[in-house]
């Protein structure tokens, strides 16, 4: 889990390889027609417990029954989190009310499947082993698995009937054999045209979820981390030339250093934080909260007192910082004491720091303050009917600003992840957070990312909104049983959606943000 969190916060792109799971139910307890001695019993138990496959009725699984094209796309759709796309397929043999319709819409939109003709999908047709391998390979590529270069493996050459593999399936079949998803029907035959069975598909599916593939994210992370390190060095040079004219602890700079930290560039992070100490800047809540979080992490890693001292300076800034009547930290100190305005930005930044400080320095009072920030915002800062995060609220009652501002939603996800990292978080709070996360994920576009405003269904996507939201979700899911409706396969697909906006290590497609309540500038840049 640490690796996926590192990569999504390395300028907002994640990667994950699913870990093997312990199966607590055997197939014989689930199906009348699957004995515990059957070769596929454990595989069938696995896919059933995970919810990827179900029985055929009457208490049976029908392990030897052929699997159809409609079944395969439905299972892959479930594996990816069952995200319903708004774009409908045009296949004439896919009625709008069938059990496989949403899966075919999704698979067709993302290029996981092609039709058997321009107008037909043939959902009830049995699927061959080579066609099954092709669907799984295309799916894998959509989740970040590196495209396979055919000819790199000798694994397929041992089969005497390799020449029978269709030209369109050779890359996928070679890949599937080389990574161990598909075995031969015998020592010398692979039988590419033979129909796949349900138990074979169950076995392949378990192997897939437990495999360690080569992902494209690692290379991208390194490219972006190189660019981020160059930007951090440039900031330090400009700060040295103009000490009073350059900030090192605003939220933008904080996100830059957070990316470096999660990418494992600790030397670069240490250089930056040490320079911050040397410059002697005074941390100012709340925008400095992200850098404050990093400072606490540095103390946790290195144990140097200078980082503890600096973390204490960040905390001291909140001593006289204004709050509303319920103790919610305000975004800035420029407003009159009577103003009761709370911004999601301030809640996210402050809570990220406070929660980490409380954990590292074992401060129960600060812990309670951090939890209060999330509890209050979930109660007063959400348009509850639709699960949209408001930019802010006033007087613990009136919602203000854009509902569903993408980046603001991401800021709240930072806060949620922070308080859920405490040991034994309150179950009611976890449930409320899960509800918001699930509703937020329902606003993912067909292209698997978020727009600058979540309720805007058209227009460009927003990498800053997508990255901050998913970083928070991933941090929260470090407890792998949390938010079960948001699968890691789904998260990988969302990560892939950012790729077109990454060029030479620079992330484009980031919204211009907001200048205050009702003042938004979704102008896209890097």
């Amino acid at each position: 889990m640490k690796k996926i969190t590192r990569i999504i916060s390395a300028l907002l792109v994640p990667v994950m390889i699913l870990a093997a799971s312990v199966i607590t139910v055997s197939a014989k307890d689930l199906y009348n027609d699957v004995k515990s001695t059957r070769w596929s019993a454990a595989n069938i138990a696995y896919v059933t417990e995970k919810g990827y496959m179900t029985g055929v009725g009457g208490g049976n699984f029908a392990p030897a029954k052929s699997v159809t094209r409609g079944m395969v796309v439905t299972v892959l759709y479930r594996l990816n989190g069952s995200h319903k796309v708004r774009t409908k397929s045009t296949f004439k043999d896919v009625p709008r009310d069938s059990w496989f319709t949403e899966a075919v819409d999704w698979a067709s939109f993302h290029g996981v499947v092609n039709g058997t003709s321009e107008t037909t999908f043939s959902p009830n047709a049995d699927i061959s082993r080579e066609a099954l391998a092709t669907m799984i390979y295309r799916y894998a590529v959509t989740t970040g698995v590196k495209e396979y270069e055919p000819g790199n493996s000798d694994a397929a050459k041992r089969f005497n009937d390799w020449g029978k593999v269709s030209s369109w399936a050779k890359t996928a079949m070679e890949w599937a054999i080389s990574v161990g998803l598909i075995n031969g029907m015998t020592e010398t035959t692979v039988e590419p045209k033979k129909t796949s069975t349900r138990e074979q598909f169950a076995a392949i599916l378990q192997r897939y979820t437990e495999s360690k593939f080569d992902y494209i994210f690692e290379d991208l992370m390194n490219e972006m981390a190189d660019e981020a390190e160059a930007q951090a060095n440039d900031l330090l040079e400009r700060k040295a030339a103009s000490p009073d004219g350059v900030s090192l602890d605003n939220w933008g700079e904080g996100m830059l250093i957070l990316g470096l930290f999660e990418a494992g560039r600790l030397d670069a992070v240490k250089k930056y934080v040490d320079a911050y100490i040397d410059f002697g800047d005074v941390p100012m809540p709340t925008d400095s909260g992200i850098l404050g979080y990093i400072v606490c992490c540095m103390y946790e890693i290195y144990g140097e007192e200078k980082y503890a001292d600096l973390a204490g300076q960040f905390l001291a800034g909140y001593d006289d910082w204004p709050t509303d009547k319920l103790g919610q930290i305000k975004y800035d100190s420029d407003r009159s004491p009577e103003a009761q305005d709370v911004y999601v930005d301030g809640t996210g930044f402050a809570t990220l720091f406070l929660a980490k400080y409380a954990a590292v320095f074992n401060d129960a009072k600060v812990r309670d303050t951090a939890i209060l920030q999330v509890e209050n915002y979930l109660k007063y800062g959400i348009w509850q009917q639709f699960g949209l995060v408001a930019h802010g609220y006033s007087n613990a009652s009136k919602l203000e600003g854009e509902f569903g501002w993408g980046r603001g939603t991401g800021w709240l996800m930072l806060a949620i992840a922070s308080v859920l990292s405490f040991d034994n978080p309150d179950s009611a709070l976890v449930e409320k957070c899960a509800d918001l996360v699930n509703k937020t994920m329902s606003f993912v576009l067909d292209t698997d990312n978020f727009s600058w405003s979540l309720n805007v269904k058209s227009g460009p996507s927003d990498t800053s909104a997508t990255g901050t939201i998913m970083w928070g979700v991933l941090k929260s899911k470090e407890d792998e049983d949390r938010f079960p409706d948001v699968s890691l396969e789904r998260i990988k697909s969302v990560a892939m959606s950012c790729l077109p906006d990454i060029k030479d290590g620079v992330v484009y497609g980031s919204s211009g943000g907001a200048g205050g309540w009702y003042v938004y500038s979704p102008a896209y840049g890097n």
Side-chain angles (χ1 to χ4, degrees):
M1 183 62 71
K2 178 63 175 176
K3 185 178 181 182
I4 187 172
T5 309
R6 281 180 50 206
I7 296 175
I8 194 171
S9 53
L11 301 189
L12 317 180
V13 179
V15 65
M16 181 62 190
I17 298 174
L18 292 176
S21 299
V22 176
I23 300 302
T24 58
V25 175
S26 65
K28 69 176 182 179
D29 297 322
L30 296 171
Y31 302 110
N32 301 324
D33 57 350
V34 181
K35 294 182 179 180
S36 60
T37 55
R38 193 178 186 95
W39 71 267
S40 59
N43 306 125
I44 292 170
Y46 176 89
V47 298
T48 300
E49 180 150 310
K50 290 292 185 181
Y52 302 145
M53 297 181 72
T54 59
V56 296
N60 296 320
F61 185 80
K65 182 180 180 180
S66 297
V67 68
T68 66
R69 288 169 56 83
M71 289 178 189
V72 173
V73 296
T74 299
V75 170
L76 294 179
Y77 179 59
R78 290 172 184 157
L79 178 63
N80 196 251
S82 301
H83 172 59
K84 183 178 180 180
V85 299
R86 299 169 184 85
T87 305
K88 312 303 180 186
S89 73
T90 58
F91 299 122
K92 293 182 178 180
D93 58 350
V94 178
R96 298 314 311 163
D97 58 352
S98 72
W99 56 270
F100 49 76
T101 300
E102 291 181 1
V104 173
D105 289 343
W106 164 83
S108 176
F109 181 84
H110 288 288
V112 175
V113 299
N114 296 322
T116 51
S117 74
E118 290 187 0
T119 58
T120 59
F121 177 72
S122 304
N124 297 315
D126 295 342
I127 194 167
S128 66
R129 287 164 58 79
E130 64 179 5
L132 176 60
T134 300
M135 280 193 191
I136 295 174
Y137 172 68
R138 288 174 180 162
Y139 169 76
V141 170
T142 69
T143 63
V145 174
K146 288 184 178 179
E147 292 189 17
Y148 183 75
E149 293 291 337
N152 287 339
S153 172
D154 294 330
K157 296 179 181 178
R158 74 177 191 270
F159 298 115
N160 297 334
D161 58 349
W162 181 251
K164 295 180 180 180
V165 178
S166 301
S167 58
W168 50 264
K170 282 189 179 293
T171 296
M173 280 291 283
E174 186 178 327
W175 169 79
I177 292 168
S178 69
V179 298
L181 297 185
I182 288 181
N183 299 320
M185 295 298 292
T186 69
E187 287 293 322
T188 58
T189 61
V190 70
E191 299 189 41
K193 302 293 193 290
K194 188 178 181 65
T195 298
S196 296
T197 64
R198 284 171 55 82
E199 65 182 340
Q200 290 171 346
F201 185 32
I204 291 169
L205 195 62
Q206 182 173 1
R207 293 172 196 150
Y208 178 88
T209 61
E210 295 180 350
S211 292
K212 291 180 170 59
F213 300 114
D214 289 331
Y215 285 86
I216 64 174
F217 299 123
E218 192 77 29
D219 294 339
L220 283 170
M221 181 189 73
N222 288 328
E223 288 181 13
M224 291 184 291
D226 288 344
E227 176 64 26
E229 193 167 337
Q231 291 184 26
N233 288 333
D234 179 67
L235 267 173
L236 294 180
E237 290 176 5
R238 290 192 287 115
K239 177 70 172 179
S242 178
D244 296 329
V246 176
S247 170
L248 295 181
D249 60 4
N250 210 331
W251 68 264
E253 291 78 27
M255 288 296 289
L256 182 73
I257 305 307
L258 177 62
L260 283 172
F261 177 78
E262 297 285 7
R265 300 291 181 92
L266 292 183
D267 288 345
V269 175
K270 195 173 193 303
K271 175 183 176 181
Y272 189 94
V273 175
D274 288 351
Y276 183 84
I277 294 172
D278 292 340
F279 284 122
D281 287 4
V282 178
M284 292 292 291
T286 52
D287 271 348
S288 64
I290 299 176
L291 187 61
Y293 167 86
I294 296 296
V295 171
C296 293
C297 292
M298 296 299 281
Y299 177 73
E300 192 173 35
I301 293 169
Y302 294 105
E304 296 182 27
E305 286 303 315
K306 62 182 179 181
Y307 300 130
D309 292 342
L310 182 56
Q313 292 178 41
F314 276 88
L315 182 66
Y318 288 94
D319 288 345
D320 298 318
W321 200 259
T323 64
D324 75 353
K325 60 187 178 182
L326 297 179
Q328 194 75 358
I329 296 169
K330 297 182 184 179
Y331 182 65
D332 58 50
S333 61
D334 295 337
R335 300 179 183 278
S336 67
E338 293 76 22
Q340 295 292 300
D341 298 344
V342 171
Y343 284 68
V344 70
D345 321 38
T347 295
F349 303 148
T351 307
L352 182 67
F353 163 67
L354 293 172
K356 189 63 179 178
Y357 184 95
V360 171
F361 297 98
N362 194 28
D363 192 316
K365 181 179 179 181
V366 175
R367 180 184 187 273
D368 291 343
T369 300
I371 293 173
L372 179 68
Q373 306 309 301
V374 172
E375 289 178 337
N376 281 344
Y377 214 96
L378 289 175
K379 184 174 182 179
Y380 300 110
I382 309 294
W383 189 3
Q384 300 294 345
Q385 181 180 356
F386 299 104
L388 290 168
V389 178
H391 190 169
Y393 63 88
S394 59
N395 295 307
S397 59
K398 182 183 179 183
L399 296 174
E400 301 280 5
E402 173 71 22
F403 295 124
W405 176 37
R407 187 183 288 169
T409 302
W411 299 147
L412 187 58
M413 292 299 169
L414 299 184
I416 287 172
S418 301
V419 299
L420 293 187
S421 68
F422 292 132
D423 292 336
N424 303 314
D426 179 72
S427 59
L429 178 61
V430 173
E431 184 176 348
K432 290 177 182 178
C433 292
D435 183 57
L436 179 63
V437 167
N438 290 333
K439 287 180 178 177
T440 297
M441 291 300 295
S442 72
F443 289 99
V444 172
L445 302 174
D446 285 4
T447 49
D448 278 337
N449 41 25
F450 294 95
S451 63
W452 77 274
S453 180
L454 300 193
N455 55 354
V456 174
K457 305 302 182 185
S458 59
S461 60
D462 189 328
T463 54
S464 63
T466 302
T468 50
I469 289 171
M470 298 313 298
W471 189 85
V473 172
L474 276 168
K475 276 290 190 181
S476 299
K477 278 184 70 66
E478 288 190 347
D479 176 345
E480 294 187 11
D481 293 330
R482 190 173 291 150
F483 308 158
D485 293 337
V486 184
S487 70
L488 294 175
E489 288 289 302
R490 176 99 287 273
I491 291 170
K492 288 188 287 186
S493 293
V494 174
M496 282 293 290
S497 73
C498 296
L499 264 58
D501 290 315
I502 302 170
K503 296 176 178 63
D504 298 324
V506 179
V507 181
Y508 296 85
S510 296
S511 167
W517 283 344
Y518 310 105
V519 182
Y520 301 89
S521 53
Y524 289 80
N526 62 291

